[in-house]
Amino acid sequence: MAGSAIGLGNIWRFPYMVGEHGGAAFIIVYILATLFLSLPIFLSESILGRRTHLGPFGALAKISPGTKWKYMGLLTIISALIILSFYSVVGGWSVDYFVKSLTLSFSRGGADSVPAVFGSFISKPVAPLVCHTIFLLLTALIVGFGVKKGIELFSKVTLPLLFILIVVILVYSLSLPGSSAGIAYLVKPDFSKITVETVAYAMGQSFFSLSLGVGTILTYSSHISKSENLMASGIGTAASDMGFAMLAGFAVMPAVFAAGIAPGAGPGLIFETLPYIFAKMGEASPVISAVVAILFFLTILVSALTSSISMLETGVSYLEEEKGMRRWSAVGLLFLLTWTLGALCSLSFGPLADVQIFGCTIFELCDKLTANFLMTLGGFLFTIFAGWKLSKDDLRDELSSGGLHRPVAFRLTVFLIRYIAPIVIITIFITNLFL
Ligand code: PFF
């Protein structure tokens, strides 16, 4: 579950969301949303998955037999696939930047010219499309061959390595002249920046980062043994996920200010800033800079893959369990669908930039539709199902692992799952919809 949670959402999405939505004020709302909304949803999904041993479609069908609720479960699976489509585009950018780091591209042409490389890369049609294809193909092969165990084992090495590398980059970033403005941006909140929209984005970021509302955590939880402590794994996953996001924010934002990049530069933010950091590092020590850059992009790539396989697995499990499809056929079908939508997302930075729907490019639409609406709706659904369709005894049974241990803060948890999370989520959702 940590493999699914920790990925591009932390390193790529969190810093640019912070930059677009007001810095420190956004971070405060994000932390509150994680504690009071995301954690209850995470537990709800864990409980539903382990209780039923099924994915979202099957779980809702089992708990509410004969009703149409299961189709809402199907919608959450479709959301995961929409996310996979544009996630794979960004995964593709990481593939390209990994190759760039291998060919020592960041040390050429001087630090100040490096950030602009990203703009010319994504506006081209072919190269980003090829990279998207490579990333999605890797994801499909891992899921198809069922070698997830291998990649999970691998990520046990790469995640701590990623942690160390971010700390190295953070320390270096803080040493750059002009970086203190970035720190101020992250720690001095301007509360006038908090609007319903900010709250919706912070909530969306928190859900995205913890892979919530799309049935992924539910699907993974359907394989958890009865003796596992759900509360502990929920808190552990949320804490490490939040830790990675904060570290990435503090590593990137000081350098953003040092390089004179606008914090609201959007999805390209880290792909403009990190090469700048590596180029600057290279002026002092080319070898260290090259090693840090190569390892950094490699570890990002692995953490992105452990997330993308969880999205594809959610859809593949559904087709296997409910439609009786063979694994490879399911993988092939979903590959084709997500590749096509992903290709449109990729082209929306270049030839399709003018295609706007509700004022958004195709990429922006997929991102906003999922993080701000579908994940929120899914989160609401799962808290209602866990909180109201299961009895209190069922909840106690799950949260105590069948009486194996005393459930921590049981009443507070149930209160959050039953009342606070659904009420707050639906209020923000509706307000945001009207805005
Ligand atoms: N949580 C992942 C990340 O932060 O990169 C993204 C993600 C994975 C979203 C799985 C949704 C999902 F089902």
Side-chain angles (χ1 to χ4, degrees):
M1 290 204 277
S4 169
I6 298 166
L8 295 169
N10 310 61
I11 291 141
W12 156 73
R13 201 172 187 276
F14 181 74
Y16 96 79
M17 279 286 135
V18 171
E20 275 187 346
H21 298 285
F26 178 91
I27 296 183
I28 292 174
V29 184
Y30 159 81
I31 294 173
L32 292 175
T34 303
L35 294 178
F36 296 107
L37 307 176
S38 297
L39 208 47
I41 300 176
F42 193 99
L43 290 171
S44 302
E45 287 203 38
S46 310
I47 290 169
L48 292 169
R50 187 167 72 176
R51 193 100 199 135
T52 59
H53 301 296
L54 293 165
F57 183 88
L60 300 198
K62 188 167 179 182
I63 294 175
S64 251
T67 64
K68 298 218 175 342
W69 280 109
K70 55 181 186 244
Y71 296 108
M72 289 297 285
L74 182 58
L75 181 66
T76 66
I77 297 169
I78 295 172
S79 314
L81 295 171
I82 300 176
I83 297 177
L84 177 59
S85 310
F86 73 83
Y87 199 85
S88 167
V89 173
V90 185
W93 301 346
S94 325
V95 171
D96 182 75
Y97 272 63
F98 174 56
V99 175
K100 280 194 170 75
S101 68
L102 284 177
T103 53
L104 308 179
S105 301
F106 305 134
S107 49
R108 274 183 240 130
D112 292 330
S113 65
V114 178
V117 171
F118 180 73
S120 68
F121 164 67
I122 50 164
S123 58
K124 288 195 197 94
V126 180
L129 215 51
V130 171
C131 294
H132 156 57
T133 311
I134 295 174
F135 184 84
L136 197 57
L137 210 54
L138 283 174
T139 307
L141 290 176
I142 295 167
V143 173
F145 279 116
V147 289
K148 294 186 294 295
K149 284 257 152 31
I151 191 94
E152 275 159 22
L153 230 53
F154 191 43
S155 82
K156 284 201 175 132
V157 181
T158 51
L159 271 187
L161 183 60
L162 179 64
F163 175 83
I164 294 168
L165 292 168
I166 299 182
V167 172
V168 170
I169 294 171
L170 191 151
V171 171
Y172 186 78
S173 179
L174 291 180
S175 75
L176 292 170
S179 63
S180 52
I183 293 295
Y185 185 76
L186 294 173
V187 297
K188 288 206 183 117
D190 172 0
F191 289 108
S192 67
K193 293 238 168 77
I194 301 185
T195 58
V196 175
E197 202 186 83
T198 320
V199 178
Y201 276 100
M203 205 168 86
Q205 173 58 28
S206 179
F207 294 177
F208 187 90
S209 196
L210 271 171
S211 315
L212 297 176
V214 291
T216 299
I217 296 300
L218 199 157
T219 303
Y220 271 18
S221 302
S222 67
H223 305 289
I224 295 184
S225 80
K226 187 75 188 175
S227 59
E228 198 75 43
N229 185 339
L230 294 184
M231 180 66 97
S233 61
I235 292 178
T237 309
S240 46
D241 185 62
M242 199 149 65
F244 264 96
M246 296 300 242
L247 275 178
F250 277 85
V252 170
M253 211 43 92
V256 166
F257 280 79
I261 297 170
L269 190 68
I270 68 153
F271 292 95
E272 292 172 359
T273 312
L274 287 165
Y276 175 84
I277 299 177
F278 295 135
K280 278 279 180 204
M281 242 185 217
E283 287 169 9
S285 168
V287 178
I288 293 182
S289 157
V291 172
V292 173
I294 292 169
L295 289 178
F296 183 77
F297 283 110
L298 176 68
T299 50
I300 285 204
L301 201 55
V302 175
S303 70
L305 281 169
T306 56
S307 300
S308 62
I309 58 177
S310 73
M311 300 175 218
L312 186 58
E313 180 65 36
T314 307
V316 169
S317 296
Y318 164 74
L319 292 176
E320 274 184 329
E321 270 172 22
E322 307 292 337
K323 299 282 163 212
M325 265 174 105
R326 277 210 304 265
R327 193 160 189 86
W328 274 110
S329 316
V331 169
L333 175 68
L334 297 182
F335 174 86
L336 282 180
L337 292 176
T338 48
W339 184 87
T340 310
L341 183 57
L344 295 175
C345 290
S346 180
L347 292 172
S348 75
F349 287 95
L352 297 184
D354 292 335
V355 179
Q356 304 255 329
I357 306 161
F358 300 122
C360 301
T361 64
I362 302 170
F363 182 96
E364 286 167 349
L365 186 74
C366 289
D367 180 305
K368 277 191 191 154
L369 181 70
T370 47
N372 291 8
F373 292 102
L374 294 175
M375 293 184 119
T376 316
L377 206 59
F380 176 74
L381 178 75
F382 294 140
T383 52
I384 294 290
F385 256 77
W388 296 99
K389 296 267 181 189
L390 294 182
S391 69
K392 248 194 182 157
D393 286 341
D394 290 339
L395 293 178
R396 186 182 293 280
D397 184 51
E398 283 303 329
L399 289 172
S400 67
S401 305
L404 215 60
H405 52 79
R406 254 192 68 218
V408 187
F410 179 70
R411 282 169 58 192
L412 174 67
T413 309
V414 173
F415 182 67
L416 288 174
I417 292 180
R418 281 197 165 171
Y419 299 99
I420 300 297
I423 292 173
V424 175
I425 293 169
I426 209 68
T427 312
I428 303 285
F429 179 85
I430 293 174
T431 323
N432 195 39
L433 199 64
F434 282 112
L435 285 177

